């Protein structure tokens, strides 16, 4: 029986994407924050750091560190308006991640 090697190859960029996004979503608080941002964006509500502090009850510095990790993974984008930073979920990266994990899991 001949095995097609092409079918089992996954590109390095996909592996890097999976590792980066998985790391960002590995913490329960970051997962909750990302979900909250996604849900707020779907209902067209902007989300700022102050709101995340109120909703989750963590210190501002803690929220900022978690959001920073989501931003580094490109899951969240930041737009500054006046003195506030507003967060938006990057659904494109989430879809790329889900597709890459699908390709990764093919046996």
């Amino acid at each position: 029986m001949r095995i097609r090697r092409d079918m089992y190859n996954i590109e390095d960029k996909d592996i890097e994407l999976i590792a980066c996004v998985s790391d960002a979503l590995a913490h329960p608080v970051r997962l909750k924050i990302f979900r909250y941002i996604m849900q707020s964006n779907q209902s067209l509500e902007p989300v700022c750091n102050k709101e995340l502090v109120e909703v989750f009850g963590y210190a501002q510095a803690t929220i900022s560190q978690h959001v920073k990790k989501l931003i580094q993974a490109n899951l969240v984008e930041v737009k500054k308006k006046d003195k506030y930073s507003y967060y938006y979920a990057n659904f494109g990266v989430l879809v790329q991640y889900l597709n890459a994990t699908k390709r990764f899991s093919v046996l």
Side-chain angles (χ1 to χ4, degrees), residues 20 23-25 30 64-75:
C20 183
D23 184 45
L25 296 177
R30 284 194 293 270
S64 292
Q65 287 300 313
H66 285 304
V67 171
K68 180 181 177 183
K69 189 81 168 178
L70 294 170
I71 291 168
Q72 288 172 340
N74 293 318
L75 286 167

Side-chain angles (χ1 to χ4, degrees), residues 12-39:
D12 286 344
K13 68 178 178 112
D14 287 336
I15 299 250
E16 289 174 23
L17 176 71
I18 291 169
C20 183
V21 172
S22 294
D23 184 45
L25 296 177
H27 196 287
V29 173
R30 284 194 293 270
L31 200 51
K32 289 176 186 177
I33 290 171
F34 183 61
R35 186 168 189 257
Y36 182 82
I37 292 171
M38 280 193 316
Q39 290 174 334

Side-chain angles (χ1 to χ4, degrees), residues 39-92:
Q39 290 174 334
S40 295
N41 290 168
Q42 284 179 331
S43 58
L44 302 177
E45 296 175 22
V47 178
C48 68
N49 204 34
K50 180 182 175 185
E51 181 180 345
L52 293 175
V53 169
E54 290 172 8
V55 169
F56 292 100
Y58 291 103
Q60 186 272 332
T62 302
I63 294 290
S64 292
Q65 287 300 313
H66 285 304
V67 171
K68 180 181 177 183
K69 189 81 168 178
L70 294 170
I71 291 168
Q72 288 172 340
N74 293 318
L75 286 167
V76 171
E77 295 176 353
V78 182
K79 293 185 181 171
K80 297 194 184 253
K81 185 175 180 184
D82 298 326
K83 63 179 182 174
Y84 295 103
S85 295
Y86 292 94
Y87 305 119
Y88 298 91
N90 187 341
F91 291 102

Side-chain angles (χ1 to χ4, degrees), residues 87-103:
Y87 305 119
Y88 298 91
N90 187 341
F91 291 102
V93 169
L94 184 61
V95 169
Q96 288 175 359
Y97 170 73
L98 295 172
N99 289 335
T101 56
K102 240 187 252 184
R103 287 189 297 277

